[in-house]
Amino acid sequence: MGTRFLPLTKAQPKEMLPVVDKPVIQYVVEEAISAGIEDILIVTGREKRAIEDHFDESPELERTLEHKHNNELLKSMREITNMASLHYVRQKSPSGLADAIYCARHHIGDESFAVMLGDTINIADVPLVRQLIDAHKPLGASVIAVERVSQEKISDYGIVGGHMLGERLIEIDRLVEKPSPKNAPSDIGITGTYILTPGIFEAIEQTEPGVNGEIQLTDALRVLAKKEKIYGYLFTGKRYDVGDMLLWMKVNLELSLKSEKYGRQLREFLKTL
Ligand code: G1P
């Protein structure tokens, strides 16, 4: 619901928060496309109509840009519309991440699929979701992106425990959603990108509400782990949790400074502050 961003998110969903020149959700969709994903289902809900509008055609806007011969902008507007085959399903109430994923079951059927959170931006040479797909292929099992997190951040994340199989792969045997540091199985946190087997849907059906009274994906994964192996993958690259106000500000600053168009001028301005 974006409560950490109020009043900014009073009339717009947090997935539409700007990061430099694009809303967060566009970074997510672009990562999926650059990883070769062609079929994208966005789980939306009440008050999230702006997401659909963002990826939809905008004839008036396009006509105006045509009129002004602003071809560069026109091209980028059309690219947004033609990005991929986008589908939408609505979650009736915000009852947790696992409940949102459950809304996608008919669309997905009996295949493994990727889950990407609408408030997480990953910057990596090989798209993070591609790294997970490559790790998933030989295993045929669920693989979830993980990274080490600081002690203060442990209670903000799902935390996993298990043993290392090689440099990046972890065979997971424990999963706890938002534990206190003393109850955490390790310092390895779930970062919000997952490849899941369709077995997750039955696991979600068997999952009771957890932290915040929501049906948590981490809890459903614990149910799934009783039947199937689940792996964690320590990815290469950087993840930005845009759902946190300070981190959202930091990602804006970092990516603006990297921007070819504005980076140099912004750096000069910062020196004057
Ligand atoms: C969700 C997941 C959590 C994961 C986190 C990553 O939590 O439930 O396991 O570590 O995303 O950002 P949320 O951020 O929705 O509270």
Side-chain angles (χ1 to χ4, degrees):
M1 292 180 80
T3 41
R4 280 185 278 183
F5 281 85
L6 284 170
L8 194 53
T9 47
K10 185 157 180 271
Q12 66 169 346
K14 70 172 172 176
E15 296 79 4
M16 288 301 293
L17 287 175
V19 172
V20 190
D21 58 353
K22 288 183 267 194
V24 179
I25 189 76
Q26 191 174 331
Y27 287 85
V28 180
V29 169
E30 285 176 355
E31 182 190 332
I33 291 167
S34 65
I37 292 173
E38 290 166 346
D39 180 0
I40 299 173
L41 176 74
I42 301 185
V43 183
T44 67
R46 270 166 57 79
E47 320 291 346
K48 294 200 190 268
R49 279 270 307 281
I51 298 174
E52 287 168 65
D53 291 344
H54 180 70
F55 291 107
D56 204 357
E57 283 183 11
S58 178
E60 302 81 11
L61 187 62
E62 289 187 17
R63 258 199 307 279
T64 309
L65 292 173
E66 250 164 22
H67 230 71
K68 290 187 170 168
H69 302 290
N70 198 334
N71 295 331
E72 202 186 320
L73 255 185
L74 186 63
K75 188 167 158 262
S76 90
M77 289 300 116
R78 287 192 173 143
E79 273 168 7
I80 296 171
T81 313
N82 297 325
M83 271 190 166
S85 171
L86 291 180
H87 306 270
Y88 300 90
V89 62
R90 277 168 75 117
Q91 183 188 21
K92 285 200 184 112
S93 63
S95 315
L97 180 53
D99 180 70
I101 291 167
Y102 195 69
C103 298
R105 67 194 180 284
H106 298 305
H107 188 88
I108 286 159
D110 199 25
E111 290 183 80
S112 292
F113 59 102
V115 171
M116 304 169 77
L117 301 189
D119 62 359
T120 299
I121 295 179
N122 302 307
I123 307 284
D125 290 338
V126 176
L128 198 158
V129 70
R130 183 75 242 170
Q131 297 178 38
L132 294 189
I133 294 170
D134 292 343
H136 157 82
K137 278 215 165 125
L139 299 166
S142 297
V143 181
I144 64 185
V146 292
E147 70 180 1
R148 293 196 187 278
V149 296
S150 64
Q151 286 297 307
E152 313 82 74
K153 287 279 173 194
I154 279 187
S155 56
D156 289 345
Y157 293 114
I159 304 290
V160 302
H163 59 276
M164 297 296 303
L165 302 172
E167 209 184 314
R168 304 204 165 272
L169 203 62
I170 303 166
E171 190 174 322
I172 294 177
D173 54 25
R174 274 158 300 158
L175 296 118
V176 191
E177 180 66 9
K178 301 190 172 61
S180 64
K182 75 173 187 349
N183 293 325
S186 74
D187 63 347
I188 298 177
I190 299 172
T191 66
T193 310
Y194 313 73
I195 304 295
L196 302 177
T197 61
I200 194 68
F201 296 119
E202 202 185 305
I204 294 171
E205 285 168 9
Q206 294 162 10
T207 304
E208 298 291 332
V211 175
N212 299 333
E214 295 178 355
I215 321 255
Q216 297 290 347
L217 181 58
T218 307
D219 296 340
L221 285 166
R222 201 171 45 245
V223 174
L224 185 65
K226 290 188 188 131
K227 291 195 181 150
E228 298 177 12
K229 287 199 163 154
I230 297 184
Y231 298 89
Y233 189 78
L234 289 159
F235 59 93
T236 55
K238 208 164 164 185
R239 167 195 96 110
Y240 298 92
D241 180 356
V242 185
D244 175 297
M245 177 69 90
L246 186 63
L247 293 176
W248 171 66
M249 291 177 177
K250 284 184 182 174
V251 65
N252 264 294
L253 197 55
E254 189 171 335
L255 297 186
S256 312
L257 287 169
K258 279 188 186 153
S259 136
E260 266 177 42
K261 202 164 170 189
Y262 305 109
R264 196 186 49 80
Q265 292 174 67
L266 190 60
R267 212 171 287 272
E268 291 304 316
F269 170 69
L270 287 177
K271 283 186 200 152
T272 68
L273 292 181

